[in-house]
Amino acid sequence: MSLHQFIRRYIEIPDKELDAFVSLFKKKSIKKYHYLYREGDVCNELIFLNKGCLRFFYMPHEAEISVWFSFPFTIGSEIQSYISGKPCKFSVQAIQNTEYLYLSKAAFVLACQQQPLLNLFYNKLCEECIVDVIDRLISFQSQTADQRYLELMKEPDYLKLIPQKYLASYLGVTPTSLSRLRRKISLF
């Protein structure tokens, strides 16, 4: 999926306007285990992943807690910081060599002023992020770790690309518990 296709998931926009908008993005790469943002930085870029995987995490009491992953053809911005202009609550780290497109917030705001249809894209993108966060919160409050893992099995990228220690913290269990959970589920 290209950035063009990604945007068209949210809005219908004429080719000429879409091409002009996409041409504003710049390409960049980051190596495995390098940071895109650290907790306390301000995320001022709209980021679209082309390749690789980003992990969003924080460290209460010296233990890393993974809260989100971005895969190719998704947004890789620390969205809370991007929207608010406040420091990141999470660090964002590449867990694979990662390539992405980015656009500064200032350039995006200007593009939205010149092409108001882009505001609809942004609104729909933010709405989708809100729904995803609410779904994740509900899953932690209403599902067991077994149920969360079974749900995660429907997303093969998670199981293929993410190291077990990061998956475990994402599910709210220890790596040992995740190993037991995997064995138990494989027996069925």
Side-chain angles (χ1 to χ4, degrees):
M1 176 185 295
S2 68
L3 182 53
H4 285 80
Q5 293 166 318
F6 179 80
I7 294 167
R8 283 215 163 103
R9 282 182 37 211
Y10 299 93
I11 60 171
E12 298 218 10
I13 184 171
D15 290 342
K16 186 177 177 182
E17 284 84 356
L18 181 57
D19 290 342
F21 176 59
V22 168
S23 73
L24 298 173
F25 282 77
K26 297 175 183 157
K27 191 174 186 178
K28 199 167 184 180
S29 62
I30 184 171
K31 293 186 181 200
K32 185 176 183 177
Y33 300 124
H34 286 224
Y35 287 83
L36 195 57
Y37 292 100
R38 290 187 185 266
E39 187 176 342
D41 293 343
V42 175
C43 176
N44 57 8
E45 297 171 328
L46 185 61
I47 296 167
F48 175 79
L49 263 64
N50 283 328
K51 177 183 170 189
C53 183
L54 297 175
R55 173 176 75 111
F56 296 68
F57 71 97
Y58 68 106
M59 291 183 53
H61 316 296
E62 302 300 317
E64 292 183 0
I65 307 293
S66 298
V67 295
W68 205 263
F69 298 94
S70 287
F71 296 100
F73 319 120
T74 64
I75 294 297
S77 302
E78 205 276 34
I79 203 72
Q80 182 183 17
S81 177
Y82 181 83
I83 291 170
S84 71
K86 295 180 180 176
C88 294
K89 304 255 191 228
F90 307 111
S91 293
V92 181
Q93 180 187 44
I95 58 173
Q96 295 185 318
N97 290 336
T98 301
E99 295 175 3
Y100 61 94
L101 300 172
Y102 71 97
L103 179 66
S104 74
K105 187 171 184 176
F108 182 65
V109 168
L110 183 60
C112 288
Q113 290 169 351
Q114 295 170 348
Q115 179 52 264
L117 192 54
L118 293 173
N119 286 304
L120 181 60
F121 160 69
Y122 181 67
N123 290 342
K124 287 185 174 187
L125 181 64
C126 288
E127 288 169 0
E128 183 177 79
C129 289
I130 291 166
V131 168
D132 288 346
V133 168
I134 291 169
D135 286 347
R136 180 144 165 74
L137 179 64
I138 290 170
S139 78
F140 262 89
Q141 293 178 337
S142 65
Q143 294 179 327
T144 65
D146 294 25
Q147 291 169 321
R148 288 193 303 273
Y149 182 74
L150 287 169
E151 199 63 31
L152 197 64
M153 288 178 69
K154 297 175 185 173
E155 302 290 338
D157 286 343
Y158 280 76
L159 302 177
K160 278 191 306 192
L161 302 175
I162 301 171
Q164 185 167 326
K165 67 181 179 177
Y166 300 151
L167 270 181
S169 73
Y170 180 74
L171 291 168
V173 299
T174 66
T176 304
S177 296
L178 179 57
S179 291
R180 279 196 299 267
L181 183 61
R182 284 179 154 170
R183 276 194 304 276
K184 181 172 111 178
I185 289 173
S186 71
L187 294 175
F188 292 108

